[in-house]
Amino acid sequence: MNTLRYFEFGQSRSLVLLIARIALVLLFIIFGFPKISGFSGTVEYMAHLGAPLPMLSAIIAVLMEVVAALLVVLGFFTRPLAILFVFYTLGTAVIGHHFWNLTGDAVLPNMINFYKNVSIAAGFLLLAVVGPGAISLDKR
């Protein structure tokens, strides 16, 4: 008896993929909407981080964290958006959590967040490979 077949999730596979898509982008949606309502503060924060072209960086952040994240939930252009999220998430890790340039108490939380972003990027890479599942606009 092949026990690995239980990990294919059978008829639940599409539901599991939907739940995974939602969980993967939930963090972006939660922190993306305040970037819209406080957009000038978002631009200032980007400048403080040293992000290139702070206004453009803020616009990209809003588009990725709100618009693209909601499209991933809907399963629309999932694979290409997942690849974009890989680069976006790794970019935000380098720009926002550069623990190697920090000292003292700032090192550990930034190191944790840097590697959290690496893990999230890996999740998006996996999503790009497996696709969104049947409960998606891509499959309609």
Side-chain angles (χ1 to χ4, degrees):
M1 184 164 121
N2 184 358
T3 58
L4 292 179
R5 69 186 171 138
Y6 293 110
F7 293 103
E8 293 176 8
F9 296 99
Q11 293 178 332
S12 301
R13 180 180 169 86
S14 292
L15 180 60
V16 170
L17 286 169
L18 172 62
I19 293 167
R21 288 195 330 259
I22 293 168
L24 191 57
V25 297
L26 186 59
L27 180 73
F28 293 97
I29 293 169
I30 289 169
F31 290 101
F33 276 105
K35 286 180 173 76
I36 296 172
S37 61
F39 189 74
S40 62
T42 302
V43 174
E44 289 175 21
Y45 181 65
M46 295 296 174
H48 171 75
L49 287 175
L53 304 167
M55 175 68 83
L56 181 59
S57 294
I59 291 169
I60 291 169
V62 167
L63 289 174
M64 289 301 295
E65 295 182 24
V66 177
V67 178
L70 290 173
L71 290 174
V72 168
V73 169
L74 295 172
F76 190 65
F77 288 109
T78 308
R79 290 174 193 244
L81 285 174
I83 295 297
L84 283 178
F85 265 110
V86 169
F87 291 108
Y88 176 75
T89 306
L90 292 176
T92 59
V94 170
I95 292 169
H97 305 295
H98 45 90
F99 66 92
W100 52 90
N101 288 334
L102 303 173
T103 59
D105 291 342
V107 174
L108 185 59
N110 278 280
M111 182 185 290
I112 290 168
N113 284 319
F114 177 87
Y115 285 107
K116 169 197 54 96
N117 280 30
V118 170
S119 296
I120 292 169
F124 281 117
L125 191 57
L126 190 58
L127 180 60
V129 171
V130 300
I135 305 172
S136 67
L137 293 177
D138 287 344
K139 294 297 178 182
R140 294 188 181 267

